[in-house]
Amino acid sequence: RAKRDGRNAYRFFTSEMQAQSARALTLENALRRALERQQLSLHYQPQFALEAGGETRIVGAEALLRWQHPELGWVSPAEFIPIAETTGLILPIGEWVLQEALSQLRRWDQAGLPELTMAVNLSAVQFRNDDLPGLVGRVLHDVGMPAERLELELTEGAAMENPGAAIAVMNELHARGVRLSIDDFGTGHSSLSYLKKFRVGKLKIDQSFVRDLTEDAEDRAIVDAVIRMAAALGLETLAEGVETEGQLEFLRRQGCMAVQGYLFSRPVPADAFAESVLAENPPISAPNSAYALP
Ligand code: C2E
Ligand code: MG
Ligand code: MG
Ligand code: MG
């Protein structure tokens, strides 16, 4: 009996594995064509500073990659980014993301949006490439955006893979004026002793610590400790995944400097983003004739 169960379990396991690797292969082949077939796009999620007096003010946008395939539908970045990384496709895709996000920022400037920072996610694979600072510099120059308007998000894993090389790349990006932040802070294997050597200006507190803030005293302790440590090191803090007023209230009270999450907005296409920002922040003077009143 045990034997039969074992055999069934084995058969089930292999067919599931086959299905998984067939899906991975399908996605890999489809992803190779995704850029040229214009199936990739960016959605943008606003980032808000928490100001004294309880105000929130939009200060930035995070660019988040989206892939819509004609037969497969929307594929989650959680599924296709790892495939893009193992195949190396993340290099051309990542360059396109940088180019597209900065071009969008320029169009928003021209449409009279307040001056925002554009946050772009970087894969460890891109970060490993020692031409990264040169590439970033070229794209900024081509688009005509000052480096200060760009913030690159990297994970602890990307930075800790080779800390010596990471420090050199961060120094070069920093020297060019690009801002750096650590994404998903608290979930990776970062050595706290490196935090003061890394040229980062901001810690993005991972949403897994934010989710249960109002019920979980341990998460509150962790978030409180991260905010205080960051402040002592002169780093900014942004909490990710803020979904409720209760979470926002706690973060504000503890001195978290900025927030991002569904409470304010989901990631949305560029036009919807601009529309809602302009509705909240009407341009002070019309920057071009498109916005002039009749
Ligand atoms: P991330 O950079 O940590 O992005 C935050 C993720 O949380 C996004 O998922 C966002 O849609 C989601 N999110 C934002 N607010 C909330 C909230 O209030 N509640 C919940 N439950 N989720 C929220 P998304 O867009 O699926 O992206 C997942 C991950 O894929 C990103 O995590 C990032 O690591 C990666 N990724 C996305 N775009 C790019 C890209 O252009 N390049 C690279 N290398 N990675 C990317
Ligand atoms: Mg991110
Ligand atoms: Mg994150
Ligand atoms: Mg993440």
Side-chain angles (χ1 to χ4, degrees):
R1 204 208 136 130
K3 222 170 182 174
R4 202 181 66 213
D5 281 358
R7 206 159 45 224
N8 286 344
Y10 175 76
R11 221 162 29 219
F12 175 73
F13 189 53
T14 48
S15 65
E16 178 149 307
M17 277 173 56
Q18 273 166 359
Q20 271 176 15
S21 61
R23 163 100 178 157
L25 206 60
T26 304
L27 289 178
E28 182 182 325
N29 288 326
L31 196 55
R32 289 188 189 283
R33 305 264 172 281
L35 248 188
E36 65 194 49
R37 296 192 177 165
Q38 301 182 330
Q39 295 164 356
L40 299 179
S41 64
L42 294 177
H43 282 188
Y44 299 90
Q45 189 178 36
Q47 301 177 322
F48 297 87
L50 299 178
E51 313 218 284
E55 305 282 293
T56 53
R57 182 171 57 95
I58 185 164
V59 288
E62 178 175 2
L64 293 156
L65 192 54
R66 297 291 179 260
W67 178 21
Q68 188 175 27
H69 185 274
E71 282 100 47
L72 302 164
W74 293 95
V75 185
S76 159
E79 191 174 18
F80 75 79
I81 299 274
I83 296 172
E85 289 178 328
T86 52
T87 53
L89 288 167
I90 195 68
L91 293 174
I93 291 175
E95 186 172 342
W96 176 83
V97 169
L98 201 55
Q99 167 80 41
E100 177 63 22
L102 288 169
S103 304
Q104 187 54 249
L105 188 60
R106 199 176 158 74
R107 290 192 287 272
W108 284 341
D109 279 0
Q110 288 162 347
L113 270 71
E115 242 184 47
L116 305 175
T117 299
M118 181 62 77
V120 172
N121 291 284
L122 270 194
S123 149
V125 177
Q126 290 170 279
F127 198 64
R128 226 180 269 148
N129 189 341
D130 55 15
D131 184 41
L132 179 71
L135 169 73
V136 170
R138 281 195 298 281
V139 176
L140 283 164
H141 178 264
D142 290 350
V143 175
M145 265 293 153
E148 295 70 28
R149 302 285 299 281
L150 173 66
E151 181 171 293
L152 296 175
E153 298 190 357
L154 46 129
T155 60
E156 294 162 275
M160 291 304 297
E161 200 172 78
N162 180 348
I167 289 170
V169 173
M170 286 188 205
N171 283 345
E172 205 176 328
L173 287 166
H174 178 81
R176 288 171 186 264
V178 175
R179 299 160 196 264
L180 295 167
S181 64
I182 302 267
D183 202 354
D184 306 344
F185 184 75
T187 61
H189 306 268
S190 71
S191 152
L192 292 179
S193 68
Y194 273 108
L195 264 188
K196 58 180 187 184
K197 300 195 184 110
F198 289 156
R199 288 284 195 171
V200 296
K202 185 183 292 176
L203 303 182
K204 294 191 75 178
I205 302 170
D206 190 65
Q207 54 188 60
S208 61
F209 302 113
V210 174
R211 193 171 304 130
D212 302 320
L213 264 190
T214 46
E215 300 86 46
D216 190 327
E218 289 175 347
D219 284 341
R220 281 199 294 278
I222 291 169
V223 168
D224 180 49
V226 170
I227 292 169
R228 285 201 270 170
M229 177 189 69
L233 292 172
L235 302 174
E236 293 180 34
T237 40
L238 179 147
E240 298 190 87
V242 178
E243 295 185 356
T244 70
E245 291 287 348
Q247 292 163 349
L248 177 63
E249 209 29 65
F250 176 83
L251 291 161
R252 203 195 286 284
R253 228 175 21 242
Q254 301 317 121
C256 186
M257 296 169 79
V259 287
Q260 182 181 345
Y262 295 171
L263 177 63
F264 304 93
S265 172
R266 289 181 177 259
V268 293
D271 289 351
F273 183 98
E275 222 170 274
S276 66
V277 174
L278 286 172
E280 296 279 324
N281 311 264
I284 294 162
S285 61
N288 62 40
S289 58
Y291 284 85
L293 294 169

